[in-house]
Short mmCIF file of all heavy atoms in Angstrom, two decimals:
data_model
loop_
_atom_site.label_atom_id
_atom_site.label_comp_id
_atom_site.label_asym_id
_atom_site.label_seq_id
_atom_site.Cartn_x
_atom_site.Cartn_y
_atom_site.Cartn_z
N PHE N 578 7.00 44.42 17.73
CA PHE N 578 8.16 44.29 18.63
C PHE N 578 9.00 45.60 18.65
O PHE N 578 9.45 46.01 19.76
CB PHE N 578 9.06 43.15 18.17
CG PHE N 578 10.31 42.95 18.97
CD1 PHE N 578 10.37 42.30 20.18
CD2 PHE N 578 11.53 43.49 18.48
CE1 PHE N 578 11.53 42.20 20.93
CE2 PHE N 578 12.74 43.37 19.20
CZ PHE N 578 12.66 42.64 20.41
N LYS N 579 9.12 46.21 17.51
CA LYS N 579 9.95 47.40 17.45
C LYS N 579 9.28 48.62 17.96
O LYS N 579 9.89 49.66 18.20
CB LYS N 579 10.34 47.71 16.00
CG LYS N 579 11.32 46.65 15.47
CD LYS N 579 11.64 46.91 13.94
CE LYS N 579 12.52 45.85 13.34
NZ LYS N 579 12.69 46.05 11.89
N SER N 580 7.93 48.54 18.19
CA SER N 580 7.22 49.75 18.64
C SER N 580 7.66 50.16 20.00
O SER N 580 7.94 49.37 20.87
CB SER N 580 5.67 49.56 18.60
OG SER N 580 5.27 49.00 19.88
N VAL N 581 7.72 51.46 20.24
CA VAL N 581 8.14 52.00 21.52
C VAL N 581 7.00 52.03 22.50
O VAL N 581 7.17 52.14 23.74
CB VAL N 581 8.75 53.45 21.39
CG1 VAL N 581 9.28 53.98 22.64
CG2 VAL N 581 9.83 53.43 20.32
N THR N 582 5.75 51.84 21.98
CA THR N 582 4.58 51.95 22.92
C THR N 582 4.32 50.63 23.62
O THR N 582 4.08 50.60 24.83
CB THR N 582 3.33 52.36 22.10
OG1 THR N 582 3.31 51.54 20.92
CG2 THR N 582 3.31 53.79 21.76
N LYS N 583 4.39 49.49 22.92
CA LYS N 583 4.14 48.21 23.57
C LYS N 583 5.30 47.70 24.44
O LYS N 583 5.13 47.33 25.58
CB LYS N 583 3.77 47.11 22.55
CG LYS N 583 3.46 45.76 23.22
CD LYS N 583 2.72 44.80 22.36
CE LYS N 583 2.39 43.57 23.10
NZ LYS N 583 1.53 42.63 22.36
N PHE N 584 6.49 47.76 23.88
CA PHE N 584 7.69 47.33 24.59
C PHE N 584 8.56 48.56 24.88
O PHE N 584 9.25 49.02 23.99
CB PHE N 584 8.46 46.31 23.78
CG PHE N 584 7.63 45.09 23.44
CD1 PHE N 584 7.18 44.80 22.17
CD2 PHE N 584 7.30 44.18 24.46
CE1 PHE N 584 6.43 43.74 21.91
CE2 PHE N 584 6.54 43.03 24.16
CZ PHE N 584 6.10 42.82 22.89
N LYS N 585 8.48 49.08 26.03
CA LYS N 585 9.02 50.39 26.39
C LYS N 585 10.50 50.35 26.79
O LYS N 585 11.13 51.39 26.82
CB LYS N 585 8.21 51.04 27.49
CG LYS N 585 6.77 51.37 27.13
CD LYS N 585 6.04 52.05 28.32
CE LYS N 585 4.74 52.75 27.97
NZ LYS N 585 3.92 52.10 27.05
N ILE N 586 10.99 49.20 27.12
CA ILE N 586 12.39 49.08 27.64
C ILE N 586 13.13 48.05 26.81
O ILE N 586 12.56 47.21 26.11
CB ILE N 586 12.45 48.70 29.14
CG1 ILE N 586 11.45 47.52 29.39
CG2 ILE N 586 12.00 49.90 30.03
CD1 ILE N 586 12.06 46.23 29.57
N PHE N 587 14.48 48.13 26.89
CA PHE N 587 15.29 47.07 26.26
C PHE N 587 16.46 46.65 27.17
O PHE N 587 16.88 47.44 28.08
CB PHE N 587 15.76 47.51 24.85
CG PHE N 587 16.85 48.57 24.90
CD1 PHE N 587 18.17 48.23 24.79
CD2 PHE N 587 16.57 49.92 25.08
CE1 PHE N 587 19.19 49.18 24.79
CE2 PHE N 587 17.56 50.92 25.13
CZ PHE N 587 18.89 50.52 25.00
N ASN N 588 17.07 45.55 26.84
CA ASN N 588 18.06 44.99 27.66
C ASN N 588 19.45 45.60 27.34
O ASN N 588 19.90 45.63 26.22
CB ASN N 588 18.16 43.45 27.35
CG ASN N 588 19.40 42.80 27.91
OD1 ASN N 588 19.98 43.24 28.87
ND2 ASN N 588 19.79 41.68 27.25
N THR N 589 20.15 46.17 28.36
CA THR N 589 21.45 46.78 28.11
C THR N 589 22.58 45.69 28.08
O THR N 589 23.70 46.05 27.75
CB THR N 589 21.80 47.77 29.26
OG1 THR N 589 21.84 46.98 30.48
CG2 THR N 589 20.74 48.86 29.42
N ASN N 590 22.20 44.54 28.51
CA ASN N 590 23.20 43.42 28.68
C ASN N 590 24.16 43.70 29.81
O ASN N 590 25.25 43.15 29.89
CB ASN N 590 23.94 43.04 27.39
CG ASN N 590 24.06 41.61 27.21
OD1 ASN N 590 23.18 40.84 27.53
ND2 ASN N 590 25.19 41.13 26.66
N ASN N 591 23.72 44.58 30.77
CA ASN N 591 24.42 44.66 32.03
C ASN N 591 23.69 43.74 32.99
O ASN N 591 22.49 44.03 33.28
CB ASN N 591 24.41 46.09 32.63
CG ASN N 591 25.04 47.14 31.72
OD1 ASN N 591 25.71 46.76 30.76
ND2 ASN N 591 24.87 48.37 31.98
N LEU N 592 24.32 42.68 33.46
CA LEU N 592 23.58 41.67 34.26
C LEU N 592 24.35 41.35 35.51
O LEU N 592 25.56 41.28 35.57
CB LEU N 592 23.53 40.36 33.38
CG LEU N 592 23.00 40.53 31.94
CD1 LEU N 592 23.23 39.26 31.16
CD2 LEU N 592 21.50 40.84 31.99
N TRP N 593 23.54 41.18 36.56
CA TRP N 593 24.09 40.83 37.87
C TRP N 593 23.58 39.40 38.23
O TRP N 593 22.40 39.22 38.31
CB TRP N 593 23.65 41.80 38.99
CG TRP N 593 24.05 43.23 38.63
CD1 TRP N 593 23.50 44.03 37.70
CD2 TRP N 593 25.11 43.96 39.26
NE1 TRP N 593 24.18 45.23 37.69
CE2 TRP N 593 25.13 45.26 38.65
CE3 TRP N 593 26.06 43.69 40.26
CZ2 TRP N 593 26.03 46.23 39.03
CZ3 TRP N 593 26.93 44.71 40.64
CH2 TRP N 593 26.91 45.95 40.01
#
Side-chain angles (χ1 to χ4, degrees):
F578 174 81
K579 291 176 184 175
S580 89
V581 184
T582 45
K583 180 161 183 175
F584 301 108
K585 293 179 165 42
I586 46 104
F587 73 98
N588 168 28
T589 63
N590 223 33
N591 300 348
L592 308 167
W593 302 75

